[in-house]
Amino acid sequence: MRLISFVNAVLVIIALYFLVFERDTLFAFAGRGDEPAEAATEVSESVPAPDAIGVVVVRSTAREIGSAVQLRGQTKANRQVEVLAETTSTVVSEPKRKGAFVEAGDLLCELDPGTRPASLAEAMAAKLEAESRVPEAEARIEEAHARLAEAEINLKAARKLSETGFGSETRRISSEAEMSTAEAGIKSAEAGLESTQAGIEAATAAVAAAQREMDRLTIEAPFKGLLESDTAELGSLMQPGSLCATVIQLDPIKLVAFVPETEVNRIIVGSMASAQLVTGLQVEGRVTFLSRSADETTRTFEVEITVPNPELLIRDGQTANIQIAAEGVKAHLLPQSALTLNNEGELGVRTVIADNVVDFVPIRLLRDTAEGVWVGGLPETADIIVIGQEFVTRGVTVAPTYREASQ
């Protein structure tokens, strides 16, 4: 008895194997192999109608759908900066607590001025002193020009007297020396004026440096936002590079994701985009940036979407499922059960063509929804087998029963 049961089990397994994995071989043995559609049409004319296999067919018409680019990314603050000290001093202002809102120019940290006001006053006094020397230098230039004019007159007179024999050669030479001295005096006076002007510029630079050092004592918010950390504590020593506060701007906020190189040409800056955060919040925005350079490791392109966030419901660093609108495509909505595989493992559907002959058409999955799957690769109108497709192959003649696509 046990031997008979074992033999029966083996026979059942062999029968199931041929029915499942060698189905096309059995059909070929029975005269229903995967023949070309044209040949099958000729054969079907000689096949009696009662031999046709009954199937249920839906006549589907392609519809245009928006083929959105699906990405996974995260939220990112529109602006974030660590406000650092630029000088050395102690904090004399009360700290602001993290989470507080600040406007551009609001005081974050105030530092002890120390001797800086005295340095500024000294620099300003040096500037005034340098400016007061300008009239004296200009007067020296005028005096030097007057001496030059006098020397020119004396030289002309000495030369005429020397030519007529009424004046000595010594007087002429002395007049020429006075002329040279007057010219040198002008150059010296001009150099003195230039030196005075240089002193003024140096004093002005010293005043600006002292004023800049005074300005560094008040550390202000660079833009409107909120504090991500407490400001520096009262009495703490600040040095150049010490952190005063971290300010972030969350309105608007950015969604950052990375697009595969196969999809990057479908995205256009300015396109509408939507996203669902892990909290369930739905948001919408527009693409404001698309990188022109791929990441060297992942070969993907960064894309940024700007989203309004007036109520600050979106936080920095949240995960988001993003859909970016792209150009629409023609597609068919089919029940998922209508999909099947051919002998080569291609995903597709079986259709009914002329003379009720079965054909196989490969398809592309575009979108999976609760109503069914949207597929591409089919003609504008197609008769698709939705029941019985697993029992027929290409070239087989069937007896189709049509039903509405909505049923």
Side-chain angles (χ1 to χ4, degrees):
M1 293 299 291
R2 291 183 179 179
L3 179 60
I4 293 175
S5 300
F6 179 76
V7 171
N8 289 337
V10 171
L11 291 175
V12 170
I13 292 173
I14 293 173
L16 289 175
Y17 172 81
F18 278 99
L19 285 174
V20 175
F21 297 100
E22 302 293 338
R23 179 182 59 188
D24 294 336
T25 304
L26 289 177
F27 283 150
F29 180 76
R32 296 177 178 175
D34 277 352
E35 303 173 357
E38 294 81 1
T41 304
E42 297 175 359
V43 174
S44 64
E45 294 178 356
S46 61
V47 176
D51 292 345
I53 301 174
V55 293
V56 178
V57 178
V58 169
R59 178 160 294 172
S60 176
T61 301
R63 290 179 283 172
E64 185 170 334
I65 63 169
S67 182
V69 178
Q70 307 282 341
L71 301 173
R72 189 173 179 86
Q74 66 177 13
T75 60
K76 184 178 181 181
N78 187 45
R79 302 168 76 179
Q80 177 170 340
V81 64
E82 292 182 344
V83 186
L84 307 178
E86 298 180 78
T87 188
T88 301
S89 189
T90 55
V91 178
V92 295
S93 60
E94 291 291 334
K96 295 181 181 295
R97 298 308 176 188
K98 55 186 175 182
F101 291 91
V102 293
E103 297 286 342
D106 283 358
L107 179 65
L108 299 180
C109 297
E110 184 178 1
L111 306 182
D112 182 14
T115 60
R116 292 175 180 83
S119 299
L120 176 59
E122 182 181 358
M124 295 178 67
K127 180 182 177 181
L128 291 174
E129 181 182 359
E131 290 174 346
S132 66
R133 294 175 183 171
V134 174
E136 180 182 356
E138 291 175 345
R140 288 178 180 175
I141 292 178
E142 292 178 0
E143 180 182 359
H145 280 287
R147 288 179 179 177
L148 178 63
E150 181 182 359
E152 287 179 348
I153 294 172
N154 292 336
L155 179 60
K156 288 180 181 179
R159 284 175 177 174
K160 287 182 179 180
L161 291 174
S162 178
E163 291 173 355
T164 57
F166 292 101
S168 63
E169 185 69 15
T170 303
R171 183 177 178 182
R172 182 184 65 80
I173 294 173
S174 176
S175 297
E176 290 178 350
E178 290 178 359
M179 182 69 177
S180 299
T181 302
E183 291 176 347
I186 290 177
K187 292 181 179 180
S188 177
E190 290 176 346
L193 179 60
E194 292 178 357
S195 176
T196 301
Q197 292 175 342
I200 293 174
E201 292 179 359
T204 302
V207 170
Q211 185 61 57
R212 176 59 180 161
E213 188 67 16
M214 289 290 295
D215 294 340
R216 289 172 177 169
L217 297 175
T218 55
I219 304 176
E220 300 174 346
F223 51 80
K224 179 181 178 181
L226 56 87
L227 295 177
E228 187 66 9
S229 64
D230 293 342
T231 61
E233 187 58 62
L234 175 67
S236 59
L237 176 63
M238 304 292 285
Q239 295 180 345
S242 298
L243 179 64
C244 169
T246 301
V247 184
I248 63 174
Q249 186 182 73
L250 297 179
D251 183 27
I253 197 168
K254 294 185 291 186
L255 304 178
V256 181
F258 292 87
V259 189
E261 53 187 337
T262 56
E263 301 281 346
V264 67
N265 287 338
R266 299 178 58 201
I267 298 178
I268 301 174
V269 174
S271 298
M272 288 297 299
S274 62
Q276 182 176 15
L277 306 183
V278 292
T279 59
L281 181 64
Q282 293 279 354
V283 296
E284 292 184 351
R286 289 189 178 273
V287 177
T288 53
F289 172 75
L290 179 60
S291 175
R292 292 284 180 177
S293 177
D295 184 90
E296 294 183 359
T297 305
T298 61
R299 310 306 303 167
T300 56
F301 295 82
E302 184 179 7
V303 61
E304 291 184 0
I305 301 160
T306 302
V307 176
N309 188 29
E311 298 180 2
L312 303 183
L313 298 178
I314 309 172
R315 302 175 183 272
D316 182 26
Q318 289 183 293
T319 303
N321 294 318
I322 303 170
Q323 293 184 346
I324 301 176
E327 186 177 355
V329 295
K330 291 283 189 177
H332 292 259
L333 179 61
L334 302 176
Q336 197 170 33
S337 59
L339 308 184
T340 186
L341 298 174
N342 65 1
N343 292 339
E344 287 73 33
E346 290 182 291
L347 181 65
V349 294
R350 288 192 169 91
T351 62
V352 176
I353 56 177
D355 298 328
N356 294 336
V357 175
V358 176
D359 192 15
F360 179 84
V361 182
I363 55 94
R364 302 188 314 273
L365 287 176
L366 300 179
R367 189 180 302 173
D368 189 2
T369 65
E371 294 79 17
V373 289
W374 290 94
V375 299
L378 295 173
E380 185 75 16
T381 302
D383 293 339
I384 301 168
I385 303 176
V386 294
I387 296 179
Q389 72 274 14
E390 298 295 343
F391 302 102
V392 295
T393 58
R394 173 181 287 177
V396 173
T397 301
V398 296
T401 300
Y402 287 85
R403 77 175 189 188
E404 294 294 332
S406 59
Q407 293 181 351

